[in-house]
Amino acid sequence: MRNTTWIAILVCGVGAAFIGGLYVRQLADGSVRHAAERPREAPSHAAVGRDELISTLATQDFDRTISVMNRIKAMRYQGDILPLISEAWQLNLTNMPHVEREFVAHPRIRIEIADVLLQASRNGATGLEPSAYSSYARLNATSTDRDVAIHALLVLGVAGDAVDIPLLADILASENEATFRAAVHAFVQVCGVDDERVARIASRLRSRVLQDHLRQSWREAPELRSHLCK
């Protein structure tokens, strides 16, 4: 397996989500930007076909694979490639004989696959396993690998499941600056979160900076939540 440094949410598109027509992206400083329209696709976001995905996975290159996964997230039509990604999630590599199981099963790649499939499910794709993807993210939200933990938290934000409120609240309470902003981004998307809960958590934070970030993110959440909490 190629030994590369995999850094999440540092380049355009990483940590990006298209949920209910809303474009969401977490930036390198942990801040979140969202807008009602998807950005215009650049040439680097050209559609990914089955052959390119297979050949990229076969390289065992984290950076190249993550770049391809982000292009898939930006694709308006994913129907031709989703079955193959679903097979990769199931570790069924029959149609990918040159792809190593160890690479596809690595948390940095598997959380990417979960992200693609969960976003597709939220956007109407059928025959997928959204509960399995969110469960995997839940298990990795406290990973000692900072980048895996951050991406797992972003996936929990896509899931928006109220069952994750206690977990996210605990992560916020830990005031770990490495994951705090990703946890905030996920927390404010959960439909079971309300003003009282946000105020209670914010009041217990020791850091004024983190308090302000949580409160500001909540104030900016209504547009995002309007697409998620229907």
Side-chain angles (χ1 to χ4, degrees):
M1 188 179 299
R2 180 175 169 181
N3 183 21
T4 59
T5 300
W6 184 86
I7 303 176
I9 62 174
L10 287 185
V11 295
C12 177
V14 180
F18 298 109
I19 308 167
L22 190 70
Y23 174 72
V24 180
R25 190 176 77 198
Q26 180 138 351
L27 305 180
D29 64 357
S31 62
V32 175
R33 292 182 182 176
H34 47 78
E37 299 297 329
R38 300 182 182 189
R40 186 182 301 276
E41 291 182 10
S44 62
H45 289 167
V48 178
R50 290 172 60 94
D51 290 346
E52 182 180 2
L53 176 59
I54 293 171
S55 64
T56 301
L57 290 172
T59 67
Q60 300 188 60
D61 185 318
F62 287 124
D63 297 329
R64 283 184 60 183
T65 301
I66 291 164
S67 177
V68 164
M69 289 295 182
N70 286 317
R71 285 169 52 204
I72 292 171
K73 294 170 199 173
M75 288 165 53
R76 286 173 169 79
Y77 176 71
Q78 302 172 332
D80 291 340
I81 203 167
L82 281 180
L84 189 67
I85 298 173
S86 183
E87 290 175 12
W89 168 259
Q90 296 162 3
L91 300 179
N92 173 8
L93 305 180
T94 303
N95 292 316
M96 298 172 270
H98 302 297
V99 174
E100 293 292 334
R101 180 188 180 96
E102 179 185 6
F103 181 69
V104 176
H106 192 289
R108 293 179 178 176
I109 300 304
R110 194 156 172 79
I111 196 65
E112 284 282 345
I113 294 171
D115 192 5
V116 170
L117 293 173
L118 184 57
Q119 288 188 36
S121 178
R122 288 299 301 266
N123 287 322
T126 59
L128 300 177
E129 306 171 86
S131 62
Y133 315 139
S134 56
S135 293
Y136 185 75
R138 195 171 296 123
L139 289 172
N140 284 277
T142 54
S143 170
T144 55
D145 184 324
R146 171 185 177 275
D147 296 321
V148 170
I150 287 173
H151 203 148
L153 288 166
L154 296 178
V155 173
L156 290 182
V158 176
D161 193 333
V163 73
D164 293 315
I165 290 177
L167 170 63
L168 294 171
D170 285 347
I171 294 172
L172 293 174
S174 74
E175 300 190 50
N176 182 345
E177 293 193 10
T179 55
F180 185 85
R181 287 168 175 78
V184 168
H185 179 54
F187 188 69
V188 301
Q189 292 186 70
V190 176
C191 298
V193 172
D194 55 22
D195 291 336
E196 180 181 353
R197 196 182 297 269
V198 171
R200 184 167 62 249
I201 291 175
S203 69
R204 295 173 179 171
L205 297 174
R206 296 181 299 275
S207 167
R208 187 61 174 270
V209 171
L210 299 184
Q211 283 183 4
D212 291 345
H213 180 75
L214 174 56
R215 287 168 174 149
Q216 181 64 28
S217 297
W218 180 246
R219 284 194 292 271
E220 295 174 352
E223 180 186 6
L224 177 60
R225 289 167 62 86
S226 70
H227 292 265
L228 300 171
C229 304
K230 297 179 179 178

